[in-house]
Coordinates of all heavy atoms in Angstrom, one line a residue:
L3 N 115.7 98.9 95.3 CA 115.8 98.9 96.7 C 116.3 100.2 97.3 O 115.8 100.7 98.3 CB 116.6 97.7 97.2 CG 116.7 97.5 98.7 CD1 115.3 97.3 99.3 CD2 117.6 96.3 99.0
P4 N 117.4 100.8 96.8 CA 118.0 102.0 97.3 C 117.0 103.2 97.3 O 117.0 104.1 98.1 CB 119.2 102.3 96.5 CG 119.6 101.0 95.9 CD 118.3 100.3 95.7
F5 N 116.1 103.2 96.3 CA 115.2 104.3 96.1 C 113.7 103.9 96.5 O 112.8 104.7 96.2 CB 115.2 104.8 94.7 CG 116.5 105.5 94.3 CD1 117.6 104.9 93.8 CD2 116.6 106.9 94.7 CE1 118.7 105.5 93.5 CE2 117.8 107.6 94.4 CZ 118.9 106.9 93.8
L6 N 113.5 102.7 97.0 CA 112.1 102.3 97.2 C 111.5 103.2 98.3 O 110.3 103.5 98.1 CB 112.1 100.8 97.7 CG 110.8 100.2 97.9 CD1 109.9 100.3 96.6 CD2 110.9 98.7 98.3
S7 N 112.2 103.5 99.3 CA 111.6 104.4 100.4 C 111.2 105.7 99.8 O 110.1 106.3 100.1 CB 112.5 104.5 101.6 OG 113.7 105.1 101.2
I8 N 112.0 106.3 99.0 CA 111.7 107.6 98.4 C 110.6 107.5 97.3 O 109.7 108.3 97.2 CB 113.0 108.2 97.7 CG1 114.1 108.4 98.7 CG2 112.7 109.5 97.0 CD1 115.4 108.9 98.2
Y9 N 110.6 106.4 96.6 CA 109.5 106.1 95.6 C 108.2 106.1 96.3 O 107.2 106.7 95.8 CB 109.8 104.8 94.9 CG 108.7 104.3 94.1 CD1 108.2 104.9 92.9 CD2 108.0 103.1 94.5 CE1 107.2 104.4 92.2 CE2 107.0 102.6 93.7 CZ 106.5 103.2 92.6 OH 105.5 102.7 91.9
L10 N 108.1 105.4 97.4 CA 106.9 105.2 98.2 C 106.4 106.6 98.8 O 105.2 106.9 98.7 CB 107.0 104.2 99.2 CG 107.3 102.8 98.8 CD1 107.7 101.9 99.9 CD2 106.2 102.2 98.0
T11 N 107.3 107.3 99.3 CA 106.9 108.6 100.0 C 106.7 109.7 99.0 O 105.8 110.6 99.2 CB 108.0 109.0 101.0 OG1 109.3 109.1 100.4 CG2 108.0 108.0 102.2
Q12 N 107.6 109.8 98.0 CA 107.5 110.9 97.0 C 106.6 110.7 95.9 O 105.8 111.6 95.5 CB 109.0 111.3 96.5 CG 110.0 111.6 97.6 CD 109.7 112.9 98.3 OE1 109.3 113.9 97.6 NE2 109.8 113.0 99.6
S13 N 106.6 109.5 95.3 CA 105.9 109.3 94.1 C 104.5 108.8 94.4 O 103.5 109.3 93.8 CB 106.6 108.3 93.2 OG 105.9 108.0 92.0
L14 N 104.4 107.8 95.3 CA 103.1 107.2 95.6 C 102.4 107.9 96.8 O 101.3 107.6 97.1 CB 103.2 105.7 95.9 CG 103.7 104.8 94.8 CD1 103.7 103.4 95.2 CD2 103.0 105.1 93.5
K15 N 103.1 108.8 97.4 CA 102.6 109.6 98.5 C 102.1 108.8 99.7 O 101.2 109.1 100.4 CB 101.4 110.5 98.0 CG 101.7 111.4 96.8 CD 102.8 112.3 97.1 CE 103.1 113.2 95.9 NZ 104.3 114.1 96.1
F16 N 102.9 107.7 100.0 CA 102.6 106.9 101.2 C 103.0 107.6 102.4 O 104.0 108.4 102.4 CB 103.3 105.6 101.1 CG 102.6 104.6 100.1 CD1 101.6 105.0 99.3 CD2 103.1 103.3 100.1 CE1 101.0 104.1 98.4 CE2 102.5 102.4 99.2 CZ 101.5 102.8 98.4
E17 N 102.3 107.4 103.5 CA 102.8 107.9 104.8 C 104.0 107.1 105.2 O 104.3 106.0 104.7 CB 101.7 107.7 105.9 CG 100.4 108.5 105.6 CD 100.7 110.0 105.7 OE1 101.6 110.4 106.5 OE2 99.9 110.8 105.1
I18 N 104.8 107.7 106.1 CA 106.1 107.0 106.5 C 105.8 105.7 107.2 O 106.6 104.7 107.0 CB 107.0 107.9 107.4 CG1 108.4 107.4 107.5 CG2 106.3 108.1 108.8 CD1 109.4 108.3 108.0
R19 N 104.7 105.5 107.9 CA 104.4 104.2 108.5 C 104.0 103.2 107.4 O 104.4 102.0 107.5 CB 103.3 104.4 109.5 CG 103.7 105.2 110.8 CD 102.6 105.3 111.8 NE 103.0 106.1 112.9 CZ 103.7 105.6 114.0 NH1 104.0 104.4 114.1 NH2 104.0 106.4 115.0
E20 N 103.3 103.6 106.4 CA 102.9 102.7 105.3 C 104.2 102.3 104.6 O 104.3 101.2 104.2 CB 101.9 103.4 104.4 CG 100.6 103.7 104.9 CD 99.7 104.4 104.0 OE1 100.2 105.3 103.3 OE2 98.5 104.1 103.9
T21 N 105.1 103.3 104.4 CA 106.4 103.0 103.7 C 107.1 101.9 104.5 O 107.7 101.0 103.9 CB 107.2 104.3 103.6 OG1 106.5 105.2 102.8 CG2 108.6 104.0 103.0
G22 N 107.1 102.1 105.8 CA 107.8 101.1 106.7 C 107.2 99.7 106.5 O 107.9 98.7 106.5
I23 N 105.9 99.6 106.4 CA 105.2 98.3 106.2 C 105.6 97.7 104.9 O 105.9 96.5 104.8 CB 103.7 98.5 106.3 CG1 103.3 98.8 107.8 CG2 103.0 97.2 105.9 CD1 101.9 99.2 108.0
V24 N 105.6 98.5 103.8 CA 106.0 97.9 102.5 C 107.4 97.5 102.5 O 107.8 96.4 102.0 CB 105.8 99.0 101.4 CG1 106.3 98.4 100.0 CG2 104.3 99.3 101.3
L25 N 108.3 98.3 103.1 CA 109.7 97.9 103.2 C 109.9 96.6 104.0 O 110.7 95.7 103.7 CB 110.6 99.0 103.8 CG 110.7 100.3 102.9 CD1 111.4 101.4 103.7 CD2 111.4 100.0 101.6
A26 N 109.1 96.5 105.1 CA 109.1 95.3 105.9 C 108.7 94.1 105.2 O 109.1 93.0 105.4 CB 108.3 95.5 107.2
S27 N 107.7 94.3 104.3 CA 107.2 93.1 103.5 C 108.3 92.6 102.6 O 108.4 91.4 102.3 CB 106.0 93.5 102.6 OG 106.3 94.4 101.5
Y28 N 109.2 93.5 102.1 CA 110.4 93.1 101.4 C 111.3 92.2 102.3 O 111.8 91.2 101.8 CB 111.2 94.3 100.9 CG 112.3 93.9 99.9 CD1 112.1 94.0 98.5 CD2 113.5 93.4 100.4 CE1 113.1 93.7 97.6 CE2 114.5 93.0 99.5 CZ 114.3 93.2 98.1 OH 115.3 92.8 97.2
G29 N 111.4 92.6 103.5 CA 112.2 91.8 104.5 C 111.6 90.5 104.7 O 112.3 89.5 104.8
L30 N 110.3 90.4 104.9 CA 109.6 89.1 105.1 C 109.8 88.2 103.9 O 110.0 87.0 104.1 CB 108.1 89.4 105.4 CG 107.7 90.0 106.7 CD1 106.2 90.3 106.8 CD2 108.1 89.0 107.9
G31 N 109.7 88.8 102.7 CA 109.9 88.0 101.5 C 111.4 87.5 101.5 O 111.6 86.4 101.1
A32 N 112.3 88.3 101.9 CA 113.7 87.9 101.9 C 113.9 86.8 102.9 O 114.7 85.9 102.7 CB 114.6 89.1 102.3
M33 N 113.2 86.9 104.1 CA 113.3 85.8 105.0 C 112.8 84.5 104.4 O 113.5 83.4 104.5 CB 112.5 86.1 106.3 CG 113.1 87.3 107.1 SD 112.0 87.8 108.4 CE 112.0 86.4 109.5

């Protein structure tokens, strides 16, 4: 979790908006 945003942007080369969606899906799952 602490490095998920960096993993998505740096390793998988996701755009920041795509990164936000993936992180938000973690939040939906947590809900």
Side-chain angles (χ1 to χ4, degrees):
L3 185 58
F5 289 95
L6 186 57
S7 59
I8 300 176
Y9 167 70
L10 296 173
T11 56
Q12 300 292 319
S13 182
L14 299 187
K15 306 301 181 183
F16 285 6
E17 298 292 333
I18 193 166
R19 292 183 183 275
E20 292 177 322
T21 298
I23 292 172
V24 175
L25 293 174
S27 73
Y28 189 99
L30 287 172
M33 292 172 67

